[in-house]
Amino acid sequence: MYDPTVARLTYRALLGRRRALILGALPLLLIVISLAVRALTGADDQTASDVLGGFALATMVPIIGVIAGTGAIGPEIDDGSVVYLLSKPLKRPTIIFTKLIVAIAVTMVFSAVPTLIAGLILNGNGQQVAVAYTVAALVSSIAYSALFLLLGTVSRHAVVFGLVYALVWEALFGSLVPGARTLSVQQWSLAVAHKVADAPLVTSDVGLPTATVLLVAVTVLATWFASQKLRSLTLAGEE
């Protein structure tokens, strides 16, 4: 289910100089904001939770997920180079699963690691806030990568649609509209983080059992649909 050659090519595509700069911009901004907030307000658990929840989890993680998830396969489909990959004796689910693993790894590194560092800067992991949001970033990285990898296989405008989802649905509606929160990856990951935090600073509108089921279901279904879409691309080429 995992092909090292496909993984190496995907890593190379995602971590090229231009894309790596884009991936690193938001984590760097988070660290700068955290340093400034700590210098101005000192160590405060509620402030740390607000920064990590409002910027890191609600904005940074989904945007990085968009870049990594769509970038893992979208450009190959757009420029037609995916035909070369599909001509190899590789099962389509293997290609998708390998690209998903790479997208997850890249998203985790560029989102969870900066989230942990920012949390340690803000309050030294008081009441497990830094660790809780890091866990949320790790969990959401998996679901976002699967969703945006699927989006990259079905649309030539995957980045645009992904950013709309990340900025409008997750960052805006997912944070403000009660009904939308139930269908938010952010809220599902917060349900997991809530169990890690020592205090009720990290909250979610979704219970942990429901959140766990939804996270797994979205990841599995998105991966399966992406594999089916790749099969249809192969059939279209053969016809």
Side-chain angles (χ1 to χ4, degrees), residues 77-92:
I77 294 177
D78 291 341
D79 62 21
S81 60
V82 71
V83 175
Y84 172 79
L85 183 61
L86 296 178
S87 67
K88 300 300 179 181
L90 290 171
K91 294 181 178 179
R92 305 307 174 250

Side-chain angles (χ1 to χ4, degrees), residues 182-209:
T182 306
L183 299 177
S184 168
V185 174
Q186 176 191 346
Q187 291 296 322
W188 303 342
S189 62
L190 282 173
V192 179
H194 176 69
K195 292 297 181 180
V196 178
D198 286 341
L201 291 171
V202 184
T203 60
S204 173
D205 289 348
V206 183
L208 181 60

Side-chain angles (χ1 to χ4, degrees), residues 17-77:
R17 181 178 301 177
R18 181 180 177 183
R19 197 176 294 272
L21 289 174
I22 297 174
L23 284 169
L26 284 175
L28 179 60
L29 179 59
L30 173 63
I31 300 301
V32 171
I33 290 174
S34 300
L35 289 169
V37 170
R38 178 61 186 265
L40 292 172
T41 65
D44 181 78
D45 296 339
Q46 184 61 59
T47 300
S49 180
D50 291 342
V51 172
L52 296 179
F55 181 77
L57 196 63
T59 302
M60 183 186 73
V61 181
I63 290 179
I64 291 176
V66 169
I67 298 171
T70 60
I73 195 170
E76 293 176 296
I77 294 177

Side-chain angles (χ1 to χ4, degrees), residues 40-185:
L40 292 172
T41 65
D44 181 78
D45 296 339
Q46 184 61 59
T47 300
S49 180
D50 291 342
V51 172
L52 296 179
F55 181 77
L57 196 63
T59 302
M60 183 186 73
V61 181
I63 290 179
I64 291 176
V66 169
I67 298 171
T70 60
I73 195 170
E76 293 176 296
I77 294 177
D78 291 341
D79 62 21
S81 60
V82 71
V83 175
Y84 172 79
L85 183 61
L86 296 178
S87 67
K88 300 300 179 181
L90 290 171
K91 294 181 178 179
R92 305 307 174 250
T94 297
I95 296 173
I96 290 296
F97 183 76
T98 300
K99 288 183 174 293
L100 175 62
I101 294 300
V102 172
I104 289 173
V106 170
T107 305
M108 284 182 172
V109 169
F110 282 91
S111 61
V113 174
T115 298
L116 177 60
I117 294 173
L120 294 175
I121 292 172
L122 287 164
N123 76 333
N125 195 37
Q127 301 191 68
Q128 296 293 311
V129 169
V131 172
Y133 278 104
T134 299
V135 170
L138 289 170
V139 170
S140 59
S141 292
I142 300 173
Y144 283 134
S145 296
L147 278 173
F148 297 131
L149 180 65
L150 169 62
L151 195 57
T153 64
V154 301
S155 174
R156 290 183 177 273
H157 306 289
V159 174
V160 175
F161 292 139
L163 288 174
V164 169
Y165 173 86
L167 296 176
V168 177
W169 184 265
E170 290 284 7
L172 184 59
F173 288 102
S175 300
L176 302 177
V177 181
R181 295 173 185 171
T182 306
L183 299 177
S184 168
V185 174

